[in-house]
Amino acid sequence: MEFYSAYAQGFARVAACTMPVALADPAANARSVLDLARDCHDDGVAVAVFPELCLSGYSIEDLFLQDTLLNAVQEAVATIVAGSADLVPVLVVGAPLRHGSRVLNCAVVIKDGRVLGVAPKSYLPNYREFYERRHFAPGDDLRGAAIRVAGAEVPLGPDLVFAASDLPDLRLHVEICEDMWVPVPPSAEAALAGATVLANLSGSPITVARAEDRRLLVRSASFRDNAAYVFAAAGQGESTTDLAWDGQTMVYECGDLLGESERFPIGPRRTVVDVDLDRIRQERLRMGTFDDNRRTLGLGRSDVREVAFELSPPAGDIGLRRKLDRYPFVPDDPDRLALDCYEGYHIQVAGLMQRLEAIGRPKAVIGISGGLDSTHALIVAAKAMDALGRPRSDVLAFTMPGFATGETTKSLATRLAGALGVTFEEIDIKPAAEQLLKDLDHPAADPTQDEPTYDITYENVQAGLRTDYLFRLANQRGGIVVGTGDLSELALGWCTYGVGDQMSHYNVNAGVPKTLVQHLIRWTIESGQFDEAADQVLGEILDQEITPELIPTVEGQKAQATEDTVGPYALQDFTLFHVLRRGYRPTKIAFLAWHAWHDPEAGDWPPGYPADRRPAYQLSEVRHWLEIFCRRFFASQFKRSALPNGPKVSAGGTMSPRGDWRMPSDAAATAWLADLEQVPRR
């Protein structure tokens, strides 16, 4: 496997192209197509899509019925066929072609010096500014047909799917402009029959707001069809006798915009992006109703004609042309992030409200440490009481200092509880922990030991006691224990099983990844959910390093830090998203993580992320922490199989065995670790 090859990693590079058209001059337009085709070849493009009727111009009206024009189009197609014989891209070019006694509005698909097939426009608009039926015949009834073009007879019809034999997930379907605007487009049927990349050649004269209509249609088609949708519209050079043209190009994948070019350009433009064929396949695997819809409609691969071709994509490192989110759970766009935080926070609040109301309105018992997770659970509980019309004193917050609790975090917990107006108590667990260690005959209980023993038992004695106290306090005071552990900790098994922080009566944070928690807290500050005093403490908590504070700090040594053991949460949440939501193999995750993280100057960062705290991770680090993730993820499933209730928050998924994630606790990571071996070590 070529690790650095985008094609080997399941991507296909596509281009949506627009160009100045020479009206009724097919020869000139063929030269323009070939110029762009060569640029696409140099960029390693697999599929290049051009505008509707680009070989003649869309706006030439009755010239479409002139033999001179139609003959010149045939010659132009032949020119492109000959001129592209040594180019990699599949070229999808718009042209008017004679068929029988009529003219068809067609997309000609060209590769390796031959025409693979021709897709006719099925639906011809004849309303408002359009009157295409004056010139063209619809092609919706041409399934199974053939046409002679460029000296050869080739398949013709809306039922063609062009399949790359050496890139099995690349299956191309082509439709034209209005085909996308009807209730059931040809592309929808093709997608159900297996097409993964949907191309639309468009003339589409521009009017105010039509660009947004196109975006809506393209986005929804890519989302609904679980596909990539490549759109190219006519632009400069089309007649402005009665209309205007903006040359809009764009590519969407499963509802996400991968790229678009400027509108109203002077000169040619290309939107070149890499579409993720693995993602499309994985989405369809998970969404069983996609195939159910195919069965209901009686569609299948036998309903399309497959035209095979060999792509022969470029080998080696050609980069990756698509936006990669370093933090897939955290949007880079400020407005989108604010909306996600609003929804996420209120999902948690609503979940806790319903649980409290359903079981007799108990109090909420929470252990708080001054760290991110317990802080967030506390402000969720406080807001739930506000919404229920109950006093915040019904939130019982306990801080339980142990052997390594720092004065800073303890002070933050105390101050936050006071600022929020919740009931607050401190319980020192050290005497109980010392007694338990003594009862266990643990070396840490022996004062004569030269070197302290800070093992897993030492840590879990403290973690377990805290949970034990919380459950007994809940019994005593008429409450339920509100869990604080987050999605990332559950994925990595960074929690104490049973009598420990893995357990609670209801966990509001179970669906929230670590990388999102800080943004949720920051959103509560910025949106004014609490008063200034509370916001001041919340801001200080955001600046603290993540630590369990279970092992005392030795003078001159670094304090215990969670990420030294389980890995940077930035990387582990990146992996978690792509395992849980995408089902990707470790080699692909490593490839994506390297592209996302090796250069801190490239790409976008979430709003408010300090420039001096933006890390970079090289491939060796990515590989190391990915191995840690695989081992911990499989070894910790038994903890996830016994999770308490808690709401799903992110579309990225959750670890609930009753929801997004079900796997046996005794499964092995062997196959995943074997795949990881294909990742270079440096």
Side-chain angles (χ1 to χ4, degrees):
M1 177 186 182
E2 295 185 52
F3 175 79
Y4 292 102
S5 166
Y7 281 98
Q9 296 289 0
F11 294 94
R13 185 159 295 175
V14 301
C17 309
T18 192
M19 64 187 198
V21 68
L23 289 178
D25 189 349
N29 293 326
R31 290 192 293 271
S32 296
V33 166
L34 284 172
D35 286 344
L36 283 173
R38 294 184 189 99
D39 291 340
C40 289
H41 171 84
D42 292 342
D43 284 337
V45 167
V47 178
V49 179
F50 292 81
E52 179 180 9
L53 297 169
C54 64
L55 288 188
S56 59
Y58 177 90
S59 53
I60 63 172
E61 302 187 84
D62 288 352
L63 295 180
F64 284 124
L65 302 179
Q66 293 286 311
D67 280 342
T68 303
L69 184 283
L70 295 172
N71 291 339
V73 166
Q74 286 280 352
E75 293 171 5
V77 171
T79 297
I80 294 172
V81 168
S84 63
D86 59 349
L87 303 182
V88 168
V90 175
L91 306 181
V92 186
V93 182
L97 297 177
R98 281 182 293 243
H99 178 67
S101 61
R102 299 296 301 274
V103 177
L104 300 175
N105 181 342
C106 295
V108 183
V109 181
I110 300 168
K111 176 74 170 92
D112 291 335
R114 66 188 179 101
V115 176
L116 298 179
V118 175
K121 188 171 186 175
S122 293
Y123 300 99
L124 303 178
N126 231 54
Y127 54 87
R128 292 194 289 273
E129 67 264 39
F130 303 103
Y131 49 98
E132 289 188 21
R133 280 181 178 262
R134 177 182 176 93
H135 308 117
F136 301 113
D140 58 321
D141 62 346
L142 293 175
R143 293 174 181 270
I147 189 172
R148 190 161 188 83
V149 59
E153 187 168 287
V154 300
L156 166 71
D159 57 338
L160 301 180
V161 171
F162 303 91
S165 59
D166 51 348
L167 195 61
D169 290 327
L170 176 57
R171 296 174 57 83
L172 171 70
H173 179 266
V174 181
E175 63 187 6
I176 301 175
C177 200
E178 186 77 8
D179 292 345
M180 176 179 74
W181 295 72
V182 301
V184 184
S187 59
E189 296 183 17
L192 290 173
T196 55
V197 177
L198 312 175
N200 186 292
L201 295 73
S202 189
S204 195
I206 187 63
T207 55
V208 171
R210 182 167 288 171
E212 287 306 308
D213 293 341
R214 296 179 193 137
R215 286 193 184 96
L216 175 63
L217 289 167
V218 173
R219 183 185 181 192
S220 63
S222 74
F223 187 81
R224 185 180 59 251
D225 294 334
N226 285 324
Y229 202 101
V230 186
F231 177 91
Q236 185 183 3
E238 291 287 0
S239 174
T240 56
T241 300
D242 292 298
L243 298 168
W245 316 80
D246 68 341
Q248 185 176 27
T249 71
M250 57 186 149
V251 181
Y252 275 83
E253 173 191 286
C254 299
D256 294 334
L257 176 65
L258 297 188
E260 60 183 337
S261 62
E262 66 176 294
R263 294 168 57 215
F264 304 100
I266 304 300
R269 293 292 185 275
R270 296 179 301 137
T271 295
V272 180
V273 296
D274 293 329
V275 298
D276 191 342
L277 301 175
D278 286 345
R279 177 189 182 185
I280 293 166
R281 176 173 45 78
Q282 280 282 340
E283 288 294 321
R284 293 180 179 183
L285 283 175
R286 280 165 171 69
M287 187 178 174
T289 51
F290 183 88
D291 190 58
D292 291 343
N293 188 219
R294 176 199 61 77
R295 291 171 55 252
T296 298
L297 297 173
L299 297 172
R301 290 203 172 182
S302 61
D303 293 286
V304 297
R305 285 181 291 164
E306 185 173 294
V307 180
F309 66 94
E310 186 173 340
L311 179 64
S312 301
D317 185 1
I318 60 170
L320 187 64
R321 292 201 181 189
R322 64 185 279 128
K323 180 180 181 294
L324 273 182
D325 292 321
R326 288 182 174 87
Y327 296 90
F329 291 106
V330 183
D332 300 327
D333 177 72
D335 293 337
R336 180 72 249 183
L337 177 58
L339 180 58
D340 281 12
C341 289
Y342 164 81
E343 291 178 339
Y345 183 63
H346 285 90
I347 287 169
Q348 294 177 273
V349 170
L352 182 58
M353 288 171 59
Q354 169 62 20
R355 181 51 54 95
L356 293 174
E357 287 291 281
I359 60 175
R361 297 170 64 85
K363 296 178 181 179
V365 176
I366 303 181
I368 60 172
S369 65
L372 290 174
D373 290 346
S374 64
T375 291
H376 186 58
L378 181 61
I379 59 178
V380 166
K383 186 59 69 173
M385 292 303 177
D386 291 349
L388 290 169
R390 294 173 57 179
R392 289 185 185 175
S393 58
D394 281 355
V395 177
L396 312 183
F398 297 89
T399 189
M400 292 170 278
F403 297 130
T405 301
E407 285 301 317
T408 298
T409 52
K410 178 181 170 182
S411 170
L412 290 170
T414 304
R415 289 167 53 207
L416 180 61
L420 292 172
V422 302
T423 300
F424 175 75
E425 293 183 36
E426 178 182 328
I427 298 176
D428 187 353
I429 67 166
K430 290 192 292 294
E434 289 168 351
Q435 182 61 51
L436 183 51
L437 289 169
K438 183 178 179 181
D439 293 342
L440 294 173
D441 195 25
H442 190 276
D446 184 356
T448 66
Q449 291 286 327
D450 293 333
E451 294 291 331
T453 302
Y454 299 143
D455 58 9
I456 189 66
T457 304
Y458 182 89
E459 295 187 36
N460 281 349
V461 159
Q462 298 170 78
L465 278 172
R466 288 182 174 124
T467 302
D468 201 3
Y469 272 110
L470 289 174
F471 272 92
R472 303 296 74 80
L473 287 163
N475 294 154
Q476 181 189 50
R477 306 191 187 187
I480 63 168
V481 177
V482 177
T484 63
D486 63 52
L487 177 65
S488 309
E489 293 175 341
L490 295 173
L492 294 163
W494 191 246
C495 53
T496 302
Y497 181 73
V499 184
D501 53 337
Q502 177 262 355
M503 187 50 63
S504 63
H505 288 114
Y506 192 79
N507 186 355
V508 295
N509 283 348
V512 181
K514 183 76 75 177
T515 49
L516 182 59
V517 171
Q518 62 176 303
H519 294 281
L520 287 165
I521 295 173
R522 188 172 288 114
W523 175 83
T524 66
I525 298 172
E526 294 172 350
S527 61
Q529 301 296 311
F530 301 101
D531 63 22
E532 187 176 344
D535 289 348
Q536 173 65 35
V537 184
L538 291 172
E540 294 179 42
I541 290 171
L542 287 171
D543 291 332
Q544 302 302 305
E545 184 171 18
I546 301 170
T547 172
E549 293 192 318
L550 294 171
I551 297 176
T553 302
V554 178
E555 186 175 352
Q557 296 184 9
K558 181 185 177 184
Q560 184 184 22
T562 298
E563 291 178 301
D564 290 346
T565 301
V566 301
Y569 278 115
L571 276 183
Q572 302 300 42
D573 276 3
F574 185 93
T575 297
L576 174 60
F577 178 89
H578 289 97
V579 168
L580 192 58
R581 186 68 179 86
R582 301 274 189 258
Y584 288 163
R585 59 195 181 277
T587 46
K588 179 156 187 167
I589 295 172
F591 174 81
L592 292 171
W594 179 74
H595 274 283
W597 284 101
H598 78 276
D599 181 3
E601 301 301 319
D604 298 323
W605 290 81
Y609 208 105
D612 60 348
R613 295 176 62 180
R614 297 178 177 180
Y617 300 105
Q618 299 308 310
L619 185 59
S620 59
E621 297 171 284
V622 168
R623 191 188 191 284
H624 170 73
W625 292 118
L626 186 51
E627 179 178 350
I628 297 296
F629 180 95
C630 291
R631 294 185 184 280
R632 294 191 67 98
F633 185 81
F634 276 83
S636 303
Q637 177 58 31
F638 74 98
K639 298 181 180 181
R640 299 188 291 270
S641 293
L643 286 182
N645 296 171
K648 178 178 178 177
V649 173
S650 169
T654 184
M655 294 273 91
S656 171
R658 298 164 299 276
D660 278 28
W661 190 255
R662 305 173 192 187
M663 68 176 275
S665 298
D666 46 7
T670 308
W672 281 258
L673 294 172
D675 183 83
L676 186 61
E677 284 299 314
Q678 299 179 72
V679 178
R681 293 184 178 274
R682 58 171 54 89

